[in-house]
Amino acid sequence: MNVDRLPATRVRLLDPYGQAMIPVPYRVVHRHEETADTVTVRLEPVGDGLDAWAPGQFTMVYAFGVGEIPISISGGSGPVIQHTVRAVGAVSRAICDAPVGSILGLRGPFGRGWPDRPPEGDVIVLAGGIGLAPLRPVILAGLREPGRLSVLIGARTPADLIFTAEYDQWRAAGARVLVTVDRADATWTGHVGVVTTLLSQVPVAPSGTTRPAPTGYICGPEIMMRLGADALVAAGVPPHRIWVSLERTMHCGIALCGHCQLGPILVCRDGPVVDAGNAARLLQHREL
Amino acid sequence: MIPSDTAQGLAHRPWAVFFVCPDRRGSEGSIGRGRPALRIALVIDDADRDRPNGVKIMSALLRSLEPLVTTLRAEGCTVVGPRERDGAIVLDAIDSAAQLPSGWGVQTGPGVYRLRRRADRAVFGHSAGPQAWKRFLHPPRERLWSADRGVDGTLTITGPDEEPPRYAFLGVRACDLRAIAIQDRVLGASPSYAARRRAAFLVAVNCTEPSATCFCVSAGAGPDVEAVETRPDRAPADWALADLALTELAEPGDAEPLYVATALSPAGGRILARLPQTPAPPDVVAAARAAVGAATDHMGRSLPDVDLREMLAASLDSPHWADVAARCLTCANCTMVCPTCFCTSVTDTTDLSGDHAERWQTWASCFEVDFSYLHGGSVRTSARSRYRQWLTHKLGTWRDQFGESGCVGCGRCIAWCPAGIDITAEVRALTSQGAER
Ligand SMILES: Cc1cc2nc3c(=O)[nH]c(=O)nc-3n(C[C@H](O)[C@H](O)[C@H](O)COP(=O)(O)OP(=O)(O)OC[C@H]3O[C@@H](n4cnc5c(N)ncnc54)[C@H](O)[C@@H]3O)c2cc1C
Ligand code: SF4
Ligand code: SF4
């Protein structure tokens, strides 16, 4: 095994303690119900925690005796890791139900996250549903430079919006935050329509102008990411500066199990964040 | 020389962490860091790794394999070799060379594998059987850890702490040696794989009689063991492959075949030095080389001589996949017999008390519908997409993912496919269709 030629994550995994294989215990220290089916948990390590994470990375979260699933890191500082989980099956349900004080296991952080925003140019975040969770660290980092950041959020209904308490804080810090829903309810007075329709309210510098090129970050259902990337390109964002986060089944998170293959890439190792051009090339083939 | 404290230090010296077989044993240490201790052996003789380049090649003539089996067993190794069972050559533990499949050959073809009697008493005169060495290095079922929940809710997770088995593999063909190198690259980061792999002593055997389904030459994986061992893409720091190489010379009428044995590692050299032997006369060595050379010219099959990665990437929407899908039963046989297929699934379980949990890893196959299951449904539901995943991964995208091909040309998938689907024929059809487009 020639370690020099392998990506850095693989080198770390040669750890003889098997840390990459064995979940590290974390205690649930805070729990917030975002929506009827989505919960944000804050986790604190019981002993030694995981290594430092970067926005867009994920951990494998283990619910005792139930199973383990990949979940993006939606925030946290120091040793605390925050996850936002939508209950769609046995394991995600068990994580959502974990009470404060209970123990979950974490492995990670794994994967390539969002590339840092370039020093200049507008930053456009496009989020659909639970897809806002992995983008939250990007948004928080972007707030450090007021005026550059636009956050476009879409959800099925107003009741499916997550992190709603934070939108005004983000606005106050200088971000443009626009929200839309597919189906309004009686209380909703905001925008209705798919998230890409919000783009018309965002001034994007078309390429060829003297303003620096914008950058786009997208996460949501696969179809939304495809349409979102197309819309950003149409609005003048260069394709190589649009990033999406892919989802595939993962049993290990460290390029050993083979489940997350998407053609030439292993999503856990080469992703989950990839550029929109690559994603489009791969996703154009049905059932790849 | 050995960094004793940090995992990072060890990570940069992966060769320093393993259980070692004959003569490679060093001091044994126990290291823990708030986690269950994993016992590791530290190799003190760092120069041992610099093989095969630093090793003086030494050839000897052996008249029997019994002393080799006895010596390896005395070193504490479980010797695994080919055995005849239920109409096939399987791989299993042996305690005597007499258990090797003396005088058995095979006849193979698409969907065909039959034993036949040979005119001589060769024990390695059969090509790849239904099993590969991966079943020992990467077992079909493995417990990754167990967890106990205390009364206060605390969680204690314990990794595998048993010593890895110390295998000596007897009769690893060049294609299978290459397959082990390929799995090293994929699974080397798994601590349990690494421990088993590094403890194993490998006795390779040159192939002198390929079968109709073999195509190791065009896969760059044989039939010459030393050529595989010294492939240009094998960096010096790669894990060593074979320790000893044998070439079997069997003549009808001889009571036992002769073996030209060559040491390819210092450990192999030390074992070889302990065996009863005579110097190999130059004409016998030349005859052995010639037999391996002749095998090169007798491959039953070949891969098309094009850039398969590019060809397959351009063929993802070819109508030919539907043609294969009409024949493929998606039985997953090909993935089970393939020596490089590595995919696994994990299952988490609890016992009746609910406070003891385990994680088990089992072989999986891209032919299973559930393999690509995402909540809501599977990505690859059609047989067309699952066969395409298998073939394009083996010969194409494996290069993108791991920098080399995932096929060694052993022909197992052809012989053990109930539908007789032949990977070389399918890739040839795709190539000619691509050329027409
Ligand atoms: C990189 C990444 C980041 C993610 N981030 C988040 C996030 O931040 N928040 C979030 O809510 N979700 C996230 N997800 C999605 C999340 O992982 C899935 O929703 C989760 O796996 C669902 O698991 P489940 O057991 O609850 O649901 P299920 O749909 O019951 O099961 C999903 C998984 O369980 C296994 N499984 C279940 N049934 C079968 C079967 N019949 N056969 C074989 N295997 C089976 C498979 O591994 C499958 O992928 C992310 C996914 C990825 C890949
Ligand atoms: S794909 Fe077939 S021929 Fe190639 S290594 Fe696997 S089993 Fe052998
Ligand atoms: S190619 Fe043959 S062995 Fe492989 S899944 Fe299809 S029918 Fe089974």
Side-chain angles (χ1 to χ4, degrees):
Chain A
M1 181 77 31
N2 182 353
V3 284
D4 296 334
R5 280 189 314 191
L6 293 172
T9 45
R10 307 260 306 167
V11 175
R12 215 172 62 74
L13 298 179
L14 289 166
D15 180 346
Y17 309 102
Q19 186 184 358
M21 306 285 274
I22 297 179
V24 175
Y26 272 69
R27 192 178 303 280
V28 179
V29 291
H30 187 262
R31 184 176 175 280
H32 171 67
E33 290 182 9
E34 302 279 351
T35 72
D37 64 3
T38 303
V39 171
T40 292
V41 286
R42 295 176 75 78
L43 304 167
E44 214 173 75
V46 173
D48 287 348
L50 303 180
D51 290 349
W53 53 272
Q57 284 194 303
F58 65 95
T59 77
M60 297 295 290
V61 183
Y62 171 60
F64 185 83
V66 185
E68 187 185 50
I69 54 172
I71 296 292
S72 302
I73 298 170
S74 68
S77 59
V80 173
I81 287 180
Q82 173 181 312
H83 282 307
T84 303
V85 185
R86 181 164 162 237
V88 298
V91 186
S92 49
R93 160 70 50 206
I95 297 168
C96 285
D97 289 347
V100 169
S102 64
I103 306 282
L104 296 172
L106 295 191
R107 296 188 296 127
F110 297 135
R112 274 181 210 225
W114 306 104
D116 280 345
R117 64 192 180 289
E120 302 181 294
D122 291 328
V123 174
I124 302 165
V125 168
L126 220 56
I130 189 75
L132 184 56
L135 287 166
R136 185 174 170 274
V138 173
I139 296 168
L140 297 185
L143 292 177
R144 286 182 217 129
E145 298 158 309
R148 282 179 67 190
L149 178 67
S150 300
V151 183
L152 315 188
I153 301 167
R156 281 172 302 168
T157 72
D160 292 312
L161 287 163
I162 60 171
F163 307 142
T164 43
E166 293 179 66
Y167 300 167
D168 280 338
Q169 295 167 22
W170 298 345
R171 288 187 185 109
R176 179 186 287 110
V177 180
L178 303 173
V179 184
T180 183
V181 294
D182 296 345
R183 277 177 285 120
D185 60 14
T187 61
W188 186 250
T189 56
H191 193 278
V192 178
V194 294
V195 67
T196 44
T197 57
L198 293 173
L199 263 178
S200 59
Q201 302 178 39
V202 179
V204 177
S207 53
T209 62
T210 49
R211 282 180 53 200
T215 305
Y217 299 92
I218 314 178
C219 190
E222 216 160 276
I223 176 77
M224 172 267 176
M225 293 197 283
R226 241 170 34 221
L227 298 177
D230 289 349
L232 283 184
V233 171
V237 185
H240 66 274
R241 290 176 74 152
I242 301 171
W243 306 95
V244 303
S245 183
L246 298 172
E247 178 180 353
R248 281 294 178 269
T249 304
M250 293 176 188
H251 282 226
C252 74
I254 50 177
L256 295 175
C257 79
H259 281 267
C260 70
Q261 288 179 68
L262 176 61
I265 69 168
L266 293 157
V267 173
C268 72
R269 182 192 73 181
D270 308 317
V273 174
V274 300
D275 73 81
N278 257 320
R281 264 192 298 286
L282 298 174
L283 297 177
Q284 70 174 319
H285 305 287
R286 277 187 54 227
E287 298 189 90
L288 192 68
Chain B
M1 185 208 62
I2 300 291
S4 58
D5 47 359
T6 65
Q8 195 59 25
L10 286 168
H12 286 297
R13 289 167 171 254
W15 57 85
V17 185
F18 54 94
F19 292 89
V20 277
C21 213
D23 292 356
R24 281 199 259 159
R25 246 168 304 161
S27 59
E28 221 177 55
S30 181
I31 294 186
R33 197 187 49 171
R35 279 181 235 291
L38 186 76
R39 268 146 49 78
I40 60 169
L42 302 179
V43 171
I44 18 186
D45 184 4
D46 220 11
D48 258 8
R49 311 177 30 257
D50 291 329
R51 57 179 198 158
N53 304 356
V55 178
K56 209 163 91 252
I57 298 288
M58 151 173 121
S59 282
L61 198 63
L62 309 181
R63 291 181 187 280
S64 164
L65 292 178
E66 198 61 60
L68 176 59
V69 174
T70 310
T71 307
L72 291 171
R73 279 170 53 78
E75 286 289 335
C77 290
T78 301
V79 180
V80 180
R83 297 183 74 161
E84 187 273 319
R85 184 177 302 150
D86 301 331
I89 304 295
V90 299
L91 300 174
D92 203 353
I94 57 168
D95 42 45
S96 159
Q99 291 163 330
L100 295 168
S102 170
W104 284 108
V106 293
Q107 187 206 336
T108 65
V112 175
Y113 177 97
R114 258 192 293 276
L115 291 189
R116 61 177 176 85
R117 270 287 167 202
R118 296 175 58 91
D120 58 36
R121 305 197 42 91
V123 301
F124 300 121
H126 46 82
S127 55
Q131 297 171 336
W133 305 95
K134 75 173 179 184
R135 72 179 301 103
F136 301 98
L137 296 176
H138 178 45
R141 207 172 123 75
E142 182 181 2
R143 192 178 65 190
L144 295 182
W145 46 256
S146 55
D148 290 286
R149 185 161 56 183
V151 276
D152 53 349
T154 52
L155 205 58
T156 313
I157 304 186
T158 318
D161 51 2
E162 62 271 22
E163 285 204 19
R166 299 170 63 198
Y167 290 118
F169 295 159
L170 180 53
V172 185
R173 281 158 208 288
C175 57
D176 283 350
L177 203 57
R178 180 76 201 122
I180 290 172
I182 290 171
Q183 285 212 328
D184 285 352
R185 201 162 288 241
V186 178
L187 299 175
S190 151
S192 58
Y193 175 88
R196 285 186 296 266
R197 169 67 176 90
R198 298 314 311 267
F201 184 91
L202 269 51
V203 183
V205 62
N206 282 307
C207 228
T208 54
E209 206 180 288
S211 76
T213 43
C214 291
F215 57 101
C216 64
V217 169
S218 62
D224 182 350
V225 164
E226 273 175 65
V228 166
E229 183 85 28
T230 55
R231 262 171 70 115
D233 59 353
R234 280 187 59 74
D238 278 5
W239 290 352
L241 281 174
D243 295 287
L244 279 177
L246 303 177
T247 309
E248 184 174 48
L249 295 170
E251 293 290 338
D254 286 357
E256 256 196 281
L258 286 178
Y259 299 91
V260 176
T262 308
L264 297 178
S265 78
R270 287 192 287 270
I271 291 292
L272 183 54
R274 284 158 58 184
L275 305 179
Q277 58 185 281
T278 51
D283 59 320
V284 177
V285 173
R289 300 294 318 154
V292 182
T296 307
D297 304 328
H298 288 101
M299 287 293 131
R301 280 173 161 69
S302 66
L303 289 169
D305 191 16
V306 297
D307 184 327
L308 293 174
R309 180 179 154 277
E310 269 175 29
M311 187 281 287
L312 291 168
S315 305
L316 290 174
D317 297 313
S318 162
H320 188 70
W321 301 115
D323 182 275
V324 193
R327 290 170 278 140
C328 174
L329 313 171
T330 66
C331 68
N333 262 17
C334 47
T335 55
M336 296 295 114
V337 297
C338 178
T340 66
C341 273
F342 61 85
C343 290
T344 50
S345 292
V346 296
T347 315
D348 288 304
T349 58
T350 40
D351 68 359
L352 285 178
S353 77
D355 288 324
H356 178 81
E358 299 193 340
R359 173 165 301 162
W360 285 83
Q361 174 184 282
T362 48
W363 284 358
S365 169
C366 54
F367 281 96
E368 301 156 9
V369 177
D370 285 347
F371 186 81
S372 60
Y373 181 87
L374 279 176
H375 59 96
S378 291
V379 174
R380 292 185 284 270
T381 49
S382 68
R384 170 190 162 280
S385 68
R386 284 177 276 148
Y387 186 86
R388 179 182 68 183
Q389 165 62 27
W390 183 70
L391 188 141
T392 54
H393 188 219
K394 281 285 115 161
L395 296 170
T397 54
W398 203 296
R399 289 179 198 269
D400 298 291
Q401 294 169 6
F402 303 108
E404 57 195 0
S405 167
C407 173
V408 301
C410 70
R412 286 181 173 93
C413 57
I414 304 172
W416 295 93
C417 174
I421 295 172
D422 174 350
I423 186 172
T424 66
E426 302 310 332
V427 80
R428 207 170 287 284
L430 286 161
T431 305
S432 53
Q433 279 195 358
E436 278 166 27
R437 269 202 305 273

